[in-house]
Amino acid sequence: MATLHEISDPADPRLTDYRDLRDVQMRKHLEAENGLFLAEGEKVVRRAVEAGFTPRSFLMAPRWLDGLADVLATTEAPCFVMSEALAEEVTGFHVHRGALASLERLPLPSVDEVLDGARSVLVLEDIIDHTNVGAILRSGAALGFDAVLLAPRCADPLYRRSIKVAMGAVFTMPWTRLPDWYDALPSLSARGFTTVALTLTEDATPVEDAVAGLDRVALVLGSEGHGLSPRWEQSADRRAIIPMREGIDSLNVAAATAVACYVTARR
Amino acid sequence: MATLHEISDPADPRLTDYRDLRDVQMRKHLEAENGLFLAEGEKVVRRAVEAGFTPRSFLMAPRWLDGLADVLATTEAPCFVMSEALAEEVTGFHVHRGALASLERLPLPSVDEVLDGARSVLVLEDIIDHTNVGAILRSGAALGFDAVLLAPRCADPLYRRSIKVAMGAVFTMPWTRLPDWYDALPSLSARGFTTVALTLTEDATPVEDAVAGLDRVALVLGSEGHGLSPRWEQSADRRAIIPMREGIDSLNVAAATAVACYVTARR
């Protein structure tokens, strides 16, 4: 059973994990250096713990204790209890879902582990927006994809905002970082995946045709602003496009991913 | 040719249209009462003017004047020129795209005007998030939909954030508000549209089957949190679902819309 600690001082040193949640740069350093991530809201906290992540601590208003009682019963971690006003003072934002948890990151699995048994994989080059990374993970999980690989510059799927948008899919979908950017796609081809890059190049074919009849597929997506790097565009086995109305040449990356996942899952 | 006014005082009364852009509630009142909306960024400002909206004024840093010179040449509206620091002081946020315009809203067209000749229509019940409204308009435009109808409580497509996410699709896609919430769907059926509600009800069929072979289709989407109201769910002609992996029962509404539009456009 978690031990409850009533907190009245916002400067309490035990609250370090929860400070300045709106400061993205500061949080990146703090979370990476301390190997932690934050989960927000009863549902997400529950899913993180159920997925096997070890809580370091919880922070919540008294009215959330009952709803998470069964989760708190499974751990010895401290639970810091405070008013919602105090929680806002500590975190720098209105904790409207009332419950936060700080959890230990697990070591990232190897690419081989993540790909083991996978038939449909998403590969993200430089998606730098946490909302997009979360939305893509959620769509991939819902639409039957088995794993996600992230290039080195992709945003962190365990950042609070990503987790929230992914609705916890980041805890169950196998994912890892690609250690090598330059040869990432040829190395997937060598493992038996046909790499299909979503792009607007001249030789791109409709995605439905590009994936038809393929066994193992890696769907490759580029950044919000500039799309794929020339290296990834050219080293993919195939280039594909989502057919669009004349005069319009782009969907946002989360919408494009959802359509491409739907089509690919039905190949 | 727009007249240039160099601004040095952030309290200049001519800047009323641009104040406190981050205060959603305040902006709602100001924009509704004055019949204006804001466009942000060179590309969006250009698309708004080209689509026929009359500019009330422009606000920009000197370095954006050249890029928009051809747009400024088409109007007599004042253009307020100021440093980026001053622009930030006035608007309350970092105007990183450098150019803003305040434009006159046009009277909303009637439902009949918007539906004239339309074969594929999106109907949004209570999508309250501006980002989602913008993303849905963008996907609908890109994937071949002809019009969008909004229930009375839906977020404003001409709010700055919606426009930005829609990449200007809101200027070219015909849309309007439904005057009557209760009978909105029966009234579309009476006009010859088959209304297909995206929902998780037991009798929902896969969307691909639900739209197969239909002539005029109205795809009906509910709110981010609770989905469709019982009234809309029950008054739709058909209920449809996007097939998902077992144990997962939702996509976010923008992703679901993109998939459903793609499938419906290919019916």
Side-chain angles (χ1 to χ4, degrees):
Chain A
M1 174 69 198
T3 49
L4 304 186
H5 303 265
E6 289 211 18
I7 303 288
S8 53
D9 175 9
D12 192 310
R14 293 172 296 179
L15 304 179
T16 308
D17 286 3
Y18 300 96
R19 291 206 192 288
D20 302 315
L21 293 184
R22 296 188 66 172
D23 184 335
V24 178
Q25 288 310 320
M26 208 285 287
R27 294 299 308 180
K28 276 189 191 165
H29 294 301
L30 184 146
E31 298 188 7
E33 284 163 16
N34 295 290
L36 66 90
F37 69 96
L38 269 268
E40 180 186 5
E42 179 186 343
K43 202 184 275 187
V44 172
V45 167
R46 179 184 302 280
R47 289 188 66 174
V49 173
E50 285 175 358
F53 290 94
T54 304
R56 293 160 58 97
S57 65
F58 301 85
L59 180 159
M60 62 186 81
R63 68 186 175 102
W64 286 93
L65 286 169
D66 280 353
L68 281 165
D70 58 322
V71 173
L72 296 173
T74 64
T75 166
E76 298 302 312
C79 177
F80 306 119
V81 183
M82 64 191 72
S83 69
E84 284 167 62
L86 197 62
E88 185 166 346
E89 202 175 327
V90 171
T91 61
F93 76 110
H94 181 56
V95 188
H96 61 101
R97 283 185 182 77
L100 288 166
S102 169
L103 302 110
E104 304 279 355
R105 287 177 188 247
L106 294 169
L108 286 181
S110 68
V111 172
D112 284 331
E113 286 173 274
V114 164
L115 293 180
D116 187 33
R119 201 173 154 259
S120 304
V121 177
L122 283 167
V123 191
L124 313 184
E125 194 178 19
D126 295 339
I127 313 279
I128 55 168
D129 181 276
H130 291 108
T131 300
N132 284 333
V133 167
I136 288 170
L137 275 155
R138 184 173 172 190
S139 291
L143 295 169
F145 270 62
D146 306 308
V148 178
L149 299 173
L150 307 172
R153 279 189 297 269
C154 230
D156 178 11
L158 287 178
Y159 189 72
R160 181 176 57 91
R161 176 86 193 142
S162 315
I163 296 176
K164 195 168 152 185
V165 174
M167 292 288 286
V170 59
F171 304 137
T172 47
M173 168 74 95
W175 65 271
T176 196
R177 289 266 171 203
L178 290 159
D180 171 28
W181 168 78
Y182 190 80
D183 280 323
L185 302 193
S187 128
L188 282 166
S189 305
R191 284 175 164 98
F193 286 86
T194 302
T195 54
V196 179
L198 277 195
T199 162
L200 303 172
T201 52
E202 293 252 316
D203 65 343
T205 53
V207 63
E208 202 163 340
D209 304 336
V211 300
L214 292 177
D215 179 18
R216 278 181 281 186
V217 173
L219 207 55
V220 182
L221 297 147
S223 83
E224 296 89 350
H226 301 94
L228 287 167
S229 66
R231 169 63 189 168
W232 275 37
E233 202 161 69
Q234 285 151 25
S235 61
D237 297 315
R238 302 183 182 185
R239 279 151 291 284
I241 191 170
I242 295 169
M244 277 172 264
R245 184 193 293 252
E246 211 168 330
I248 295 187
D249 66 359
S250 83
L251 284 164
N252 82 40
V253 70
T257 306
V259 171
C261 285
Y262 178 87
V263 171
T264 303
R266 273 153 198 75
R267 67 187 179 271
Chain B
M1 174 68 197
T3 49
L4 305 187
H5 302 265
E6 289 211 19
I7 303 288
S8 54
D9 175 9
D12 192 310
R14 294 172 295 178
L15 305 178
T16 307
D17 286 4
Y18 300 96
R19 293 209 189 286
D20 302 315
L21 293 184
R22 295 189 68 173
D23 184 334
V24 179
Q25 287 312 318
M26 207 285 287
R27 293 299 307 180
K28 275 189 193 164
H29 294 300
L30 184 145
E31 298 188 6
E33 284 163 16
N34 295 290
L36 65 91
F37 69 95
L38 269 265
E40 181 187 4
E42 181 187 340
K43 202 184 279 188
V44 172
V45 168
R46 178 184 301 282
R47 289 188 65 176
V49 173
E50 286 175 357
F53 290 94
T54 304
R56 293 160 59 95
S57 65
F58 301 85
L59 182 159
M60 62 187 78
R63 67 186 176 101
W64 286 93
L65 286 169
D66 280 353
L68 281 166
D70 57 324
V71 173
L72 295 173
T74 65
T75 168
E76 298 301 311
C79 177
F80 306 119
V81 183
M82 64 190 72
S83 69
E84 283 169 62
L86 197 62
E88 185 166 346
E89 203 175 323
V90 172
T91 62
F93 78 110
H94 181 57
V95 188
H96 60 99
R97 284 185 181 76
L100 288 167
S102 170
L103 302 111
E104 303 280 355
R105 288 179 187 245
L106 294 169
L108 286 180
S110 69
V111 172
D112 284 331
E113 286 173 274
V114 164
L115 293 181
D116 186 34
R119 203 174 154 257
S120 304
V121 177
L122 283 167
V123 191
L124 312 184
E125 195 179 18
D126 295 340
I127 314 280
I128 54 168
D129 181 276
H130 292 107
T131 301
N132 284 334
V133 167
I136 288 170
L137 275 156
R138 184 174 173 189
S139 291
L143 296 170
F145 270 61
D146 305 309
V148 178
L149 298 173
L150 307 172
R153 279 189 298 270
C154 230
D156 179 11
L158 286 179
Y159 189 72
R160 181 175 57 92
R161 175 88 193 140
S162 314
I163 296 175
K164 195 169 152 185
V165 174
M167 292 287 287
V170 60
F171 303 136
T172 47
M173 168 74 96
W175 66 270
T176 196
R177 290 264 171 205
L178 289 160
D180 171 29
W181 167 79
Y182 190 80
D183 279 323
L185 301 193
S187 128
L188 282 166
S189 306
R191 283 176 163 95
F193 286 86
T194 303
T195 54
V196 179
L198 278 195
T199 162
L200 303 170
T201 51
E202 293 252 315
D203 65 344
T205 52
V207 63
E208 202 164 339
D209 303 337
V211 300
L214 292 177
D215 179 17
R216 277 181 283 185
V217 174
L219 207 54
V220 182
L221 297 147
S223 83
E224 296 89 350
H226 301 95
L228 287 167
S229 66
R231 168 65 189 167
W232 276 36
E233 201 161 71
Q234 286 152 25
S235 61
D237 297 314
R238 301 183 182 184
R239 280 149 291 283
I241 190 170
I242 295 168
M244 277 174 261
R245 184 193 293 253
E246 210 169 330
I248 295 186
D249 66 2
S250 84
L251 284 163
N252 81 41
V253 69
T257 305
V259 170
C261 286
Y262 178 86
V263 171
T264 303
R266 274 155 197 72
R267 66 186 178 274

